[in-house]
Amino acid sequence: MDWINIAVTLIKIVVLTFMVLLPMIAYSVWAERRVAAKIQNRVGPNRTGIPFTKFGLFGLGQPIADGLKFIFKEDLTPAHVRTGYFWLAPALTMVPALMTCAVIPFGSELNIAGYKIPLVIADLNVGPLFIFAIASLSVYGIVLAGWASNSKYPFLGGVRSTSQMISYEISLGLSIVPIIMIFGELNLTEIVKWQDANGWLLFPFWGGGEFWQEALLLIPVVISFVIFTVSMFAETNRLPFDLPECETELVAGYHTEYSSMKFALFFLGEYAAMIIGSGLAVTLFLGGWSLPFGIGSELVDKPLWLGIAHFFSFLIKMIGFILFFIWVRWSLPRFRYDQLMRLGWVFFFEIALANVFLTAFILLYFN
Amino acid sequence: MAIVVKRPKLTFGEKIYLSSIAKGMMITIGHFWRALFGKGTVTMQYPEEKWDENLPEYYRGAPALVTDEQDRERCVACQLCEFICPPRAITITPEEIPSDDQWAKVEKRPQKFEIDMARCIYCGFCQEVCPEQAIFLRKDYAITGVSRDEMVHDKKKLYEIGGVREGLVNKWNKLK
Amino acid sequence: MSDDKQQGVPMVNVQIDGEWHQFPKGTRMIEACRQVQVEVPHYCYHPKLSSPGNCRMCLVEMGMPPRLAPGEEPVKDKDGHQKIGWMPRPVIACANAVAENMGIRTDSELTKACREGVMEFLLVNHPLDCPICDQAGECSLQEYSAEHGKGDSRFRDEKNKKPKNVEIGPRIRLDDERCIMCSRCIRFCAETVDDPVLGFTDRGSHTVLAVHPNQQLANDYSMNTVDICPVGALTSNDFRFQMRTWFMKETSSICTSCGRGCNTTIGSREGTVFRQTPRDNNEVNSAWMCDHGRMNYHYLNSEARLTDPMIRKNGEEAHQVVPWSKAIRFAADELLKFNASEVAVIASGRMTNEELFMTRRLIAELSVEHVDIVLRRGKADDYLVAADKNPNTAGAKLVLGLKKPGGELAAIQKGIESGEIKALVVLQENLIDDTDFTTELLGKLDFLLTTYPLANPTADDSHVVLPGAAFAEKDGTMINVTGRLQRLNKAHQGPGQTMEVWEICRDLILAIDGGNGIYGVDDVFKEMAGQIKAFAGLTLSKVGDQGLPLLKTKLTVPMLEREKERIAKGEIVG
């Protein structure tokens, strides 16, 4: 029995990280470029398809070509860097992003021949805390990259990144406190199950639950959602908060001195963080894998199909959220650094704190 | 002197920027939506589609030397283009025109005239500064080569690109 | 214009552009203006030549106090100056001297109109040759037409045709269309070098400059006419179409072709010297230099330059190129094999004091007894050329402590012949071509080290050949025949791996002995000033652009003496 569990877990790790998450990372880069191009009335990468043929397939071969290019580029380690840390840094940004996907429930459970496989790698009781704990490690990657590069722009990028990530982690953490208070639960699987039963947190229009309490709770939930999303942008160093790499000021910021696959790890680490962020947002606010409007009810007697439907429900929501990330990036200009700090410390921190009390009040009074 | 720029007074709604953010995002998604159905995209698929016949007269392509109706090379090697060239792409070695030449009265011509097209930035300063109407930026824009040496246009190549240009001022003809 | 001659001359008050100044009586108006940084444009005026006043470019408005009626008291302003009565017509500033209470206006409407008019007349027949004219970039006509000209031409007729591209001498080309008839060249030839071969023929706008029939402008100072020509009428065959003036980096240096040490400006670009022109120094060369010295730079750009250190071990046929470190190490090891009495050093009077001083240290390091330089005697002329063809014989004598330069060479030859001298160090000399040393004699040596800028027979026979920098490629000082200490400045780094001889000596000393605390040429001079009395208290920067009198000699410069006489007579400003 134990061996089967271990084997199943290993298969889940392989499938979910290497066959779901990594391709998603690659194709979110492609999506980013295509969407950016469309927004700017361009075409974007549309030619890289099947090699030696004219089949472009909307440029779907582009991520593979990019990957090959990165692998075959000269991997340059400048003479003036701290080699050990310099090599460690890219791994330190990529690994935490991949590790966090362990607790994200990608679906309910797959019922294969009576054997129920929950679609989450590690069903931890402290899901969100685990994610924050691990995700905040990625700041070390950036700081190390900036410091080990031994060059001024990477250093400035690293310094900016540290203060930015530390600042926004506070509001990020505080913003989900009300959510956890509403769920009364820290296990992400249970949280999704709760939403499946009571309606999504942001759209509590179906399922059970008291109408008035739910309607009132929407206020703190929306506030939480806004703070969470914006902080997520800041945490993943994406525009409008991409000051650590800020091309116009810092050349390329912390990864200026990197080339080849090491650079690619930073680049992809950012997308991995974005995907995990989207996954978390979907799990906490948009019902995770649960289907809206009770659509899945006719599939109850076919548990395998229901599990697959849940999985795709989650994927579609996550992709939608990623597209939202991309959309924001190509719409909004970059913040000034002082504005960024002001927003984090003066507004979000206070609002998130007040939101906790507001939620507590609502929960207490309308219970 | 410092100029104080008056900042506009913003209302609270403007100050939190949310409405402007929403407005901006609606614009970008509008573009996205139209482009998704192939409208508004201005990209040209370069090697297949070209715009060559539409290039304007003032198009700044590769610089080249020209000869005139009398088959005289216009350049007198004054080296002003070499001087003005921002990336220092031009190198000229002047020489005296031998006395048995038809145009010996012009006295000076370039022995070597080299433009390093790997350096050229197509700014057109050379054409602008030329007192002899000898160098023009032509419409050639796809300059390729497989080595750095190949990217250097020598005098022969430059006259080949430049060709004959008519209707220029012929001040040297008036000389004895 | 030296101030000490003005001692005892009464001062006069002159108002220039509204400001009152004091000048010695007799100062030309143009010089007075120049002294207070007011530039009066001029073509024909040159301080070293007589002033015919024929270009009219220096017209200024002048005023004097009105003549008083008998018994009338002069009207004075609060500063005690009389009211100036301005003359209705302008005067030339170059040939008139200042007087008490005179007023000069160089920026009045009248002056400006005069300049504009003169410029327009000068440009009427001037060809649009600037793109091919060597003077372009340093042409007074270009400068003044930009500053004082009208900007466009009202002249619609055909320009006069005149002879172009005429060889009027072996080194000079004349373009008559460009000539503006300033007559500087005519006066220079007639007054300064006593070779009156130039003159004007024809009249009016058909006037042309020409050499007299069956004559040529061939004297040894002819190329000075190119320098003083304000336009491109006279150009040098040597510099013709070589490089535009604005590309050249100008480095103040001195000519090293004879002991005079004429002050020069080296024009070079990207490691190539294109010309040398004389630089004003009233104690050395006035404003002139000889053609031979001026053109004696071509070897710098020669294909035959040595660019890399080379060694040839015993038994090997050919030299092999090696890095400096290896060459120096090899040379030092070889030199250390011999006793002090078996080594001789032949330095050169073409080396700078700094190089000679490091040679002296090398000599001390090896305790060498046989030291000498190669003498070069030639003919002096009655102008600038000195009989001593070494630029720094005095320096070699002083720094190396030679009693009789050139006197030891015979002894060295004898020593080699007898086998007493087994190793020879030759610095910047080509013994086989320039002295009576022969290949056979040098073949008797066990070790021969040569430094020289060019490949030469002595180098062929050497075991170590080091590329030594030539004059435009080194910093340092030299002492000319009249005992003046003058500076050479480095125009550019020599070709390839070339090093200055002081650096070579420093490295040799380092290889023999270890540290010596010498890093730059300033350090060498500092140490030299500490050890040699004549240099005491001096630094390299104190020598300056004009040099310093260092040694007392009774020699004079014939050309300067004549100029002094003419200054005394008031013919020239000087």
Side-chain angles (χ1 to χ4, degrees), chain B residues 76-135:
Chain B
V76 297
C78 74
Q79 293 177 290
L80 279 176
C81 49
E82 183 178 352
F83 183 66
I84 201 85
C85 183
R88 300 178 104 194
I90 303 178
T91 315
I92 301 169
T93 312
E95 72 173 352
E96 184 157 11
I97 301 180
S99 54
D100 55 354
D101 192 282
Q102 184 196 354
W103 293 100
K105 60 183 176 183
V106 183
E107 294 185 33
K108 199 181 178 188
R109 71 182 177 197
Q111 184 202 5
K112 282 193 211 144
F113 195 116
E114 292 179 340
I115 303 183
D116 188 346
M117 293 311 295
R119 282 188 162 209
C120 178
I121 55 167
Y122 304 88
C123 64
F125 281 9
C126 47
Q127 174 177 349
E128 204 172 314
V129 82
C130 184
E132 297 287 334
Q133 295 177 300
I135 191 166

Side-chain angles (χ1 to χ4, degrees), chain A residues 253-270:
Chain A
Y254 56 89
H255 57 63
T256 306
E257 305 279 349
Y258 284 85
S259 57
S260 179
M261 213 52 210
K262 293 209 200 77
F263 162 75
L265 282 179
F266 281 117
F267 188 67
L268 300 178
E270 180 191 318

Side-chain angles (χ1 to χ4, degrees), chain C residues 224-386:
Chain C
N224 289 302
T225 56
V226 177
D227 299 329
I228 56 176
C229 183
V231 291
L234 294 172
T235 51
S236 133
N237 280 347
D238 182 51
F239 181 61
R240 186 172 166 83
F241 300 160
Q242 293 306 302
M243 189 44 63
R244 305 318 303 267
T245 56
W246 52 81
F247 283 118
M248 288 190 295
K249 179 183 141 195
E250 299 198 323
T251 313
S252 299
S253 189
I254 60 171
C255 171
T256 56
S257 297
C258 77
R260 180 69 57 219
C262 291
N263 288 211
T264 59
T265 304
I266 297 172
S268 64
R269 184 189 180 198
E270 290 167 18
T272 309
V273 175
F274 286 98
R275 68 172 179 188
Q276 281 190 97
T277 47
R279 185 160 56 86
D280 287 9
N281 189 332
N282 284 338
E283 303 300 319
V284 180
N285 61 322
S286 184
W288 324 113
M289 74 187 291
C290 72
D291 291 0
H292 170 260
R294 181 195 297 256
M295 294 207 291
N296 191 13
Y297 67 87
H298 287 285
Y299 71 92
L300 296 176
N301 310 332
S302 152
E303 284 289 309
R305 282 300 293 270
L306 293 172
T307 53
D308 292 279
M310 291 185 286
I311 61 173
R312 185 183 51 141
K313 292 184 176 143
N314 271 332
E316 284 177 13
E317 271 295 296
H319 288 94
Q320 64 182 118
V321 171
V322 292
W324 269 106
S325 54
K326 220 170 163 182
I328 293 282
R329 189 69 255 166
F330 179 71
D333 289 346
E334 287 291 314
L335 283 173
L336 285 173
K337 285 182 189 163
F338 303 100
N339 293 326
S341 61
E342 289 172 338
V343 183
V345 174
I346 298 176
S348 172
R350 291 167 170 178
M351 285 154 66
T352 62
N353 295 326
E354 289 73 12
E355 291 175 329
L356 289 161
F357 180 74
M358 289 310 285
T359 310
R360 174 175 143 146
R361 284 196 45 173
L362 181 67
I363 290 165
E365 199 69 45
L366 295 166
S367 330
V368 176
E369 290 154 16
H370 301 287
V371 180
D372 207 350
I373 62 165
V374 175
L375 281 190
R376 286 187 179 76
R377 305 295 298 182
K379 277 179 79 173
D381 69 0
D382 199 22
Y383 303 97
L384 288 172
V385 179

